């Protein structure tokens, strides 16, 4: 069954939780049975259902185990036709724009937590001082 060819038109008809196809590196996967088990939640899969999910899949940096699970979901290959979206070029190991902001968000979170802790310590000391 993995040698079956699908067009983008075929794949776009499979974009619901009970019937979900994804394209990753021009291979077609039926993720319907995996939606409830996906560690990232079903929304992540539903967002890319019925379309090319290569960039989304690679940007997350899936493990070897995840790639093995994916191979078990393989149902065919993508048959590109005139007018189809061009395949997205993906270079393994490249830093995506979403990864570049990761440190910034972590730094803001650290500053926020530090501020909350400082405020809590201040309140505690104020309360202690008033009680003496």
């Amino acid at each position: 069954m993995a040698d079956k060819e699908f067009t983008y038109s075929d794949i776009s008809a499979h974009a619901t939780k009970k019937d979900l196809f994804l394209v990753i590196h021009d291979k077609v996967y039926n993720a319907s049975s995996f939606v409830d088990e996906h560690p990232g939640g079903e929304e992540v899969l539903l967002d890319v259902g019925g379309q090319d999910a290569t960039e989304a899949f690679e940007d997350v940096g899936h493990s070897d185990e995840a790639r093995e699970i994916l191979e078990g979901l393989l149902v065919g290959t993508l048959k590109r036709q005139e007018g189809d979206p061009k395949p997205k070029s993906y270079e393994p190991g490249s830093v995506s724009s979403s990864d570049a902001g990761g440190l910034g968000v972590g730094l803001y979170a650290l500053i926020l937590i530090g501020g909350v802790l400082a405020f809590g310590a201040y309140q505690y000391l104020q309360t202690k001082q008033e009680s003496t």
Side-chain angles (χ1 to χ4, degrees):
M1 185 152 121
D3 54 347
K4 184 172 180 179
E5 288 188 327
F6 296 88
T7 64
Y8 266 119
S9 179
D10 297 332
I11 294 159
S12 66
H14 301 274
T16 65
K17 182 177 177 178
K18 301 254 186 251
D19 182 23
L20 189 68
F21 280 21
L22 308 169
V23 176
I24 301 174
H25 295 296
D26 285 354
K27 292 182 181 178
V28 180
Y29 300 93
N30 183 345
S32 307
S33 63
F34 189 67
V35 173
D36 291 329
E37 299 170 35
H38 188 256
E42 67 184 44
E43 298 83 19
V44 177
L45 292 177
L46 293 172
D47 284 347
V48 294
Q51 55 188 311
D52 191 333
T54 303
E55 189 173 5
F57 181 82
E58 293 296 353
D59 282 351
V60 172
H62 284 91
S63 66
D64 290 339
E65 182 183 358
R67 291 175 189 279
E68 287 175 22
I69 291 169
L70 185 66
E71 286 307 310
L73 304 175
L74 182 67
V75 292
T77 57
L78 179 65
K79 180 180 180 182
R80 293 195 175 274
Q81 296 180 322
E82 192 71 30
D84 282 350
K86 298 282 183 228
K88 296 193 173 151
S89 61
Y90 179 79
E91 297 176 23
S94 67
V95 176
S96 72
S97 58
S98 62
D99 292 340
L103 179 61
V105 172
L107 186 58
Y108 282 121
L110 186 60
I111 291 170
L112 179 64
I113 291 170
V116 168
L117 289 174
F119 179 75
Y122 173 76
Q123 291 291 80
Y124 173 76
L125 291 174
Q126 287 292 95
T127 306
K128 191 168 180 143
Q129 195 173 33
E130 288 174 8
S131 66
T132 55

